Amino acid sequence: MSVYITNYEVECNAGDLTSLMKALYNKESKITIDTNYINGNEPVGLGKMKDGNFFEILINKVSNVLKDSNLNDFKDTLLIVGSSVGGMRESETIYFRDGNYKNIDPSKHAISVISETLDQKFSFADTRAISTACTSSANALLLAKRLIEVDAYKNILVVGADALCHTTVCGFHALGVLSDSPCRPFDKSRNGMNVAEAIAVLLLSSEKSDESIEFLGAGASSDAHHITHPDPEGKGAIAAMSAALKDAGIEPSEVDYINAHGTGTTANDSVEALAISQMFNNCYVSSSKAITGHTLGAAGALEAAIACETIHQGIIPPQTGLIEQENSSLNIPTAPIDSKPCYVLSNSFAFGGNNTSLLFGRAK
């Protein structure tokens, strides 16, 4: 059974989807420098959304998808949420306000608080919450695809959502991988990543609409090389990309564009570039994280929406921040490419060697 993405909405540091795609095509980084997260006022580049209540923005985005879809309600729709932060920011707010943990509600700290909040508002048939670090919402999409293919559900709403919080920023700082400027994926002089926040909402269906993008393939792997570093030979990344292509019945030569995981860290970019160069000859490659930062558990869903919109608009986004390319075998555009891509692959890689690749195409 075919699976289609029929509707989607996002919110991130660059704004909504229209503003985000404009920033991608115009190479306008939306990373800001902040000194409020690391002890000693150390500057770090972050991707912060506009001011507002995170859950109010989330509910608004889901409402828009419901309004713009052909569904009267979500009573027969499964909700799958992918997140790595869940309610952590609310817990932090209480802790910093009170100076202790006593008033923190554990039930509002968990990953499932996002799905529970949305279910209370919209009454879904059932809900699931997935947390696999930076592949969380990519794996939510993979699961949704599998469930629709076996006719378990006709419609599934996938939400990727992570709020910016001190715990994650300080955690990545402890690993020594944060940049004090907008990240520069695949650049020889890149110096780290930018932690960011985002919300992405995608409605998947077994029925095609006029504007549908077909969700053709999904592949996952676990190279289990190291808790934070990828396998230096790229075996896990290759396995995930290969599985997505096999699932779709697509050859590597048919892929027009890869939205790379491309975090701007030394380890990730070199390994991902190696893996891509071993599988693909001349398809375009760029990372949207130079604009959005790394939105953690929301990244897979956010970048799936970017992949779908790239197909809709027929223009491949250039790489922002690239000064001197490290791996010359990659075909990284530095200006928008008007090529009307048919097949777009989106990569998400996470701690523990958890790798997920998703393939999207024009609905036939």
Side-chain angles (χ1 to χ4, degrees):
M1 183 179 293
S2 297
V3 180
Y4 302 96
I5 296 180
T6 61
N7 203 356
Y8 47 94
E9 287 259 352
V10 311
E11 188 70 33
C12 65
N13 63 327
D16 62 11
L17 187 63
T18 299
S19 298
L20 170 57
M21 296 306 295
K22 181 180 178 182
L24 285 169
Y25 290 135
N26 292 336
K27 299 168 65 173
E28 297 172 346
S29 177
K30 299 301 180 178
I31 301 300
T32 57
I33 309 305
D34 199 292
T35 59
N36 296 314
Y37 284 77
I38 306 299
N39 289 336
N41 297 323
E42 184 175 334
V44 290
L46 302 176
K48 302 176 71 173
M49 286 168 40
K50 65 181 181 182
D51 292 338
N53 183 282
F54 187 84
F55 281 92
E56 288 179 359
I57 297 171
L58 173 65
I59 289 170
N60 177 258
K61 291 297 172 181
V62 173
S63 297
N64 289 343
V65 169
L66 176 59
K67 180 181 177 181
D68 294 339
S69 72
N70 60 354
L71 301 176
N72 294 321
D73 55 51
F74 283 140
K75 291 180 181 177
D76 297 319
T77 300
L78 174 68
L79 169 68
I80 307 179
V81 171
S83 178
S84 65
V85 170
M88 193 182 297
R89 186 160 75 181
E90 183 172 341
S91 296
E92 284 187 353
T93 300
I94 295 170
Y95 179 81
F96 290 137
R97 182 195 68 197
D98 298 346
N100 62 65
Y101 61 85
K102 294 180 180 180
N103 292 321
I104 293 174
D105 182 350
S107 67
K108 294 183 179 181
H109 182 90
I111 297 298
S112 58
V113 70
I114 297 172
S115 57
E116 291 165 359
T117 299
L118 291 174
D119 191 36
Q120 289 173 4
K121 177 70 175 179
F122 297 102
S123 299
F124 294 93
D126 204 351
T127 67
R128 298 288 186 273
I130 292 177
S131 185
T132 54
C134 301
T135 55
S136 296
S137 56
N139 283 329
L141 285 163
L142 183 151
L143 176 59
K145 181 177 185 293
R146 299 285 188 259
L147 289 171
I148 290 175
E149 286 172 335
V150 299
D151 203 23
Y153 292 89
K154 297 293 185 185
N155 300 289
I156 299 178
L157 189 77
V158 173
V159 173
D162 263 340
L164 195 64
C165 59
H166 286 75
T167 303
T168 48
V169 175
C170 292
F172 281 106
H173 178 263
L175 291 172
V177 295
L178 290 188
S179 176
D180 60 359
S181 59
C183 70
R184 292 186 285 127
F186 302 114
D187 191 86
K188 184 178 291 186
S189 299
R190 64 191 181 280
N191 67 346
M193 59 175 279
N194 306 132
V195 182
E197 59 186 348
I199 294 166
V201 182
L202 300 94
L203 182 64
L204 279 63
S205 177
S206 60
E207 297 183 3
K208 180 174 63 172
S209 67
D210 292 340
E211 298 297 318
S212 291
I213 296 295
E214 190 165 1
F215 188 178
L216 292 164
S221 70
S222 181
D223 55 53
H225 169 75
H226 186 272
I227 192 63
T228 58
H229 280 254
D231 173 8
E233 296 180 6
K235 293 177 182 177
I238 290 172
M241 291 188 290
S242 298
L245 295 179
K246 182 178 180 181
D247 187 36
I250 298 296
E251 296 296 323
S253 59
E254 298 180 83
V255 175
D256 300 296
Y257 169 59
I258 298 174
N259 181 287
H261 186 58
T263 60
T265 64
T266 301
N268 175 86
D269 291 11
S270 60
V271 170
E272 186 174 13
L274 176 64
I276 291 172
S277 65
Q278 290 183 22
M279 282 190 62
F280 302 92
N281 288 326
N282 200 41
C283 71
Y284 293 107
V285 179
S286 66
S287 168
S288 50
K289 290 183 177 69
I291 301 294
T292 66
H294 189 353
T295 58
L296 308 181
L302 177 66
E303 291 167 24
I306 292 172
C308 291
E309 197 64 12
T310 296
I311 294 171
H312 270 312
Q313 299 200 21
I315 303 173
I316 291 171
Q319 183 60 64
T320 299
L322 188 66
I323 299 172
E324 185 177 3
Q325 186 172 326
E326 181 181 60
N327 189 322
S328 60
S329 63
L330 294 190
N331 185 9
I332 302 179
T334 56
I337 304 295
D338 189 355
S339 66
K340 296 178 174 57
C342 290
Y343 299 113
V344 173
L345 187 71
S346 183
N347 285 337
S348 295
F349 304 141
F351 286 165
N354 188 307
N355 312 292
T356 305
S357 295
L358 309 174
L359 186 69
F360 305 95
R362 295 184 183 277
K364 297 177 181 179

